[in-house]
Amino acid sequence: EVATTFTGSSEQLVGDKHVSWNVLGVITIPIWDGGARYGAHRSAKAEVEQAQQQIESAERQATVDVSQADRDVGVATRAQKLAEEARDLAQENERLAELAFDGGAGTSFDIVDASSKRRRAELDVALKDLDLTRAKIAALLATANCKY
């Protein structure tokens, strides 16, 4: 830092002169900064460690999401197959009820009941197909977001 002072007076200031000009130079050397630099270093180091832990946590969560999505696809596939088997059984039951009615061993109520159960089974198959499609889409999205 450099500072100057110019002074004028009616009295003599220096020798026989009435003016004075002073030039001042200051050099500042920090001997101790109170630990601010080391504190900032430790703080930055802690922030880096925290960011690394957040990355690891996100990777673990992504792994869990992908495995859960794959498991959901497997469960939905099995549920769809079971619904298809139930529908096939309901169709066979309806066919047998019609045969029994034609043979005189069944009633029209048996046919209506079997037909109603077949329709419910077909609806269940459609719902299970939708569930499987949703699970596949969720699995696709889970793997699409996973970049590591």
Side-chain angles (χ1 to χ4, degrees):
E1 174 182 345
V2 176
T4 63
T5 306
F6 185 75
T7 308
S9 174
S10 60
E11 300 290 323
Q12 288 184 351
L13 295 173
V14 176
D16 58 353
K17 310 253 182 197
H18 293 275
V19 293
S20 167
W21 182 37
N22 296 321
V23 177
L24 173 71
V26 178
I27 297 175
T28 304
I29 300 173
I31 297 174
W32 185 63
D33 65 353
R37 189 175 79 185
Y38 298 107
H41 177 71
R42 280 186 289 228
S43 177
K45 202 174 183 183
E47 288 176 7
V48 167
E49 185 176 329
Q50 184 180 20
Q52 288 173 339
Q53 290 174 354
Q54 288 173 343
I55 289 170
E56 290 173 7
S57 174
E59 287 175 351
R60 278 192 303 273
Q61 185 61 44
T63 302
V64 168
D65 289 346
V66 168
S67 64
Q68 184 177 4
D70 288 342
R71 189 172 43 249
D72 290 346
V73 169
V75 168
T77 301
R78 287 189 293 279
Q80 181 201 28
K81 289 183 193 231
L82 288 173
E84 287 174 350
E85 290 174 6
R87 179 202 56 205
D88 294 343
L89 288 173
Q91 285 174 342
E92 180 64 16
N93 191 25
E94 182 182 26
R95 187 185 71 79
L96 291 175
E98 289 173 0
L99 284 175
F101 180 75
D102 290 342
T107 64
S108 62
F109 177 77
D110 294 335
I111 294 174
V112 171
D113 186 45
S115 178
S116 174
K117 288 179 181 176
R118 179 192 50 82
R119 285 192 303 275
R120 280 194 301 255
E122 287 176 354
L123 180 61
D124 191 43
V125 168
L127 292 174
K128 298 303 180 193
D129 285 341
L130 179 62
D131 289 344
L132 178 59
T133 302
R134 285 181 181 165
K136 285 180 179 179
I137 290 171
L140 181 64
L141 290 175
T143 55
N145 289 334
C146 186
K147 296 181 182 177
Y148 67 96

